[in-house]
């Protein structure tokens, strides 16, 4: 069974969607630990409510990256809990080479935009300001760039004339909560292969 | 009735989709002339088959832009035919300030990608190489940038694992042939307003 370590900075709605998929039996995986750089992040409380080991990792003195001692502490926690896959869920720091090397090809992220459009912060606001008519979310493998890794799946949502940042963000989040468990199911079933930057799906094992 | 001038460099499949929408009565407009920088472009032949005035405009010495004498000749042809709207349909040159100023807010283009992702040439190949899971097309107003103007509408298509540049390009073109008449209908009905970069739709007049 695929052992997931979830890392997030916020309320953990994507963590919750993953945990609920596991509990409903639609995702054959287990969350072995939840880590956060924010001591009072709701994601930690939610993890504890689901009897999942939850840890705050102090990431000072860095503000926008996971590096140095904090990075080593995260690697140690991931190893202690025997994590197979690192699942970034609203983690607001850039991941650095040491962690990427230790979990090569085994770190995934979800981004609230149709990458490569609108990387970085507040993507839904970027999309609204630009005036695109379609937004969405992207689940991707993590490389050393910001939101640049190979894409596992994307889901779209329309942008309506009456949308505000709040309504658009909420519509994208609904799709994130479907997309992340779906992507993890593909990984858990060992169905993804990489060709160049393209992430391709092999058939389920019993159909091959 | 909205008078369209279509400018293209290639086979004119988008011109044809627009012409057919007009002939079927689903687009209340008229193509008053078709211009091309390529003397033997199929778009010119197709225009003549539909009894539409068709002109080759020699754009030398420039290779990638419409400028200088050629730009003046285009402006003269557009004025002679009393064009209301300039419709770029596979025109492989950058439009310059003189034409943009003369037809301010009245030049539209279609691009085979979900802009702002994959501007420029061979967008479908860019999308395939990047590994996105969703592609599409964008109808937008033209400004002085390359594929940067305010977006009128976008349509999406999935990218399949088995896609080649040819199959993906064909799937995007099918949506282009729906998207362009649809965008022109909104312009013909005078239903678009600009707020910042956002193109918003007002209600049809009889519902207001």
């Amino acid at each position: 069974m695929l052992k997931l370590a979830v890392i997030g900075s916020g309320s953990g709605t994507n963590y919750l969607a993953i945990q609920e998929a596991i509990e409903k039996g639609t995702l054959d995986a287990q969350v072995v630990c939840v880590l956060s750089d924010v001591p009072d992040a709701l994601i930690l409380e939610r993890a504890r409510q689901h009897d999942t080991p939850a840890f705050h990792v102090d990431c000072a003195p860095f503000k926008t990256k996971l590096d140095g001692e904090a990075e080593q502490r995260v690697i140690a926690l991931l190893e202690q809990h025997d994590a197979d896959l690192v699942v970034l869920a609203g983690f607001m720091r850039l991941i650095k080479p040491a962690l990427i090397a230790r979990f090569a090809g085994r770190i995934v992220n979800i981004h609230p935009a149709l990458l490569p459009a609108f990387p970085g912060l507040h993507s839904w606001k970027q999309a609204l300001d630009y005036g695109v008519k379609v937004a969405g979310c992207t689940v991707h493998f993590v490389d050393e760039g910001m939101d640049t890794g190979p894409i596992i799946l994307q889901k779209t949502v329309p942008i309506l004339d009456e949308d505000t940042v709040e309504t658009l963000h909420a519509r994208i989040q609904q799709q994130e909560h479907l997309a992340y468990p779906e992507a993890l199911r593909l990984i858990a079933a060992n169905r993804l292969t990489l060709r160049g930057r393209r992430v391709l799906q092999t058939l389920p094992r019993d159909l091959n």
Side-chain angles (χ1 to χ4, degrees), chain A residues 5-9 35 37 59 62-68 70-72 74-75 78 86-110 140-148 180:
Chain A
V6 180
I7 311 184
S9 305
L35 314 182
D37 56 330
C59 294
F62 308 112
K63 300 205 166 178
T64 59
K65 61 179 179 177
L66 175 65
D67 206 347
E71 184 184 42
Q72 291 307 313
V74 164
I75 291 173
L78 297 174
V86 178
V87 178
L88 304 181
F91 186 53
M92 302 304 279
R93 289 169 182 271
L94 210 56
I95 299 295
K96 303 298 289 179
L99 178 58
I100 292 172
R102 179 61 190 78
F103 284 84
R106 296 189 294 138
I107 309 178
V108 292
N109 184 38
I110 192 160
H140 64 91
F141 288 109
V142 172
D143 62 16
E144 293 178 23
M146 185 166 63
D147 306 321
T148 54
Y180 226 160

Side-chain angles (χ1 to χ4, degrees), chain A residues 10-180:
Chain A
S11 64
T13 62
N14 274 306
Y15 157 70
L16 210 56
I18 293 164
Q19 188 66 263
E20 286 173 359
I22 290 170
E23 290 171 12
K24 274 190 302 186
T26 61
L27 171 58
D28 190 25
Q30 176 190 359
V31 180
V32 293
C33 63
V34 170
L35 314 182
S36 181
D37 56 330
V38 177
D40 58 351
L42 189 52
I43 191 173
L44 293 176
E45 190 180 321
R46 282 183 158 150
R48 291 181 191 117
Q49 285 167 359
H50 287 267
D51 298 318
T52 302
F55 303 90
H56 167 241
V57 177
D58 184 356
C59 294
F62 308 112
K63 300 205 166 178
T64 59
K65 61 179 179 177
L66 175 65
D67 206 347
E69 280 176 37
E71 184 184 42
Q72 291 307 313
R73 168 110 165 96
V74 164
I75 291 173
L77 282 166
L78 297 174
E79 290 178 344
Q80 271 169 41
H81 291 87
D82 201 19
D84 298 315
L85 188 76
V86 178
V87 178
L88 304 181
F91 186 53
M92 302 304 279
R93 289 169 182 271
L94 210 56
I95 299 295
K96 303 298 289 179
L99 178 58
I100 292 172
R102 179 61 190 78
F103 284 84
R106 296 189 294 138
I107 309 178
V108 292
N109 184 38
I110 192 160
H111 182 79
L114 293 176
L115 292 171
F118 312 124
L121 294 178
H122 305 303
S123 307
W124 55 91
K125 183 172 187 308
Q126 290 185 53
L128 212 54
D129 290 347
Y130 192 96
V132 291
K133 299 300 182 188
V134 183
C137 65
T138 301
V139 182
H140 64 91
F141 288 109
V142 172
D143 62 16
E144 293 178 23
M146 185 166 63
D147 306 321
T148 54
I151 292 172
I152 299 168
L153 63 82
Q154 297 185 299
K155 289 192 179 285
T156 62
V157 302
I159 296 189
L160 309 179
D161 282 2
E162 57 270 30
D163 267 329
T164 62
V165 288
E166 291 78 17
T167 59
L168 179 57
H169 189 196
R171 191 177 307 121
I172 293 171
Q173 280 190 310
Q174 285 183 333
Q175 291 305 309
E176 288 183 42
H177 300 161
L178 300 174
Y180 226 160

Side-chain angles (χ1 to χ4, degrees), chain A residues 172-194:
Chain A
I172 293 171
Q173 280 190 310
Q174 285 183 333
Q175 291 305 309
E176 288 183 42
H177 300 161
L178 300 174
Y180 226 160
E182 191 176 323
L184 295 176
R185 264 193 293 280
L186 293 169
I187 295 171
N190 202 17
R191 285 190 49 196
L192 300 181
T193 55
L194 202 61

Side-chain angles (χ1 to χ4, degrees), chain A residues 150 192-201:
Chain A
L192 300 181
T193 55
L194 202 61
R195 191 197 304 156
R197 284 187 54 88
R198 291 180 74 184
V199 180
L200 305 180
Q201 293 181 24

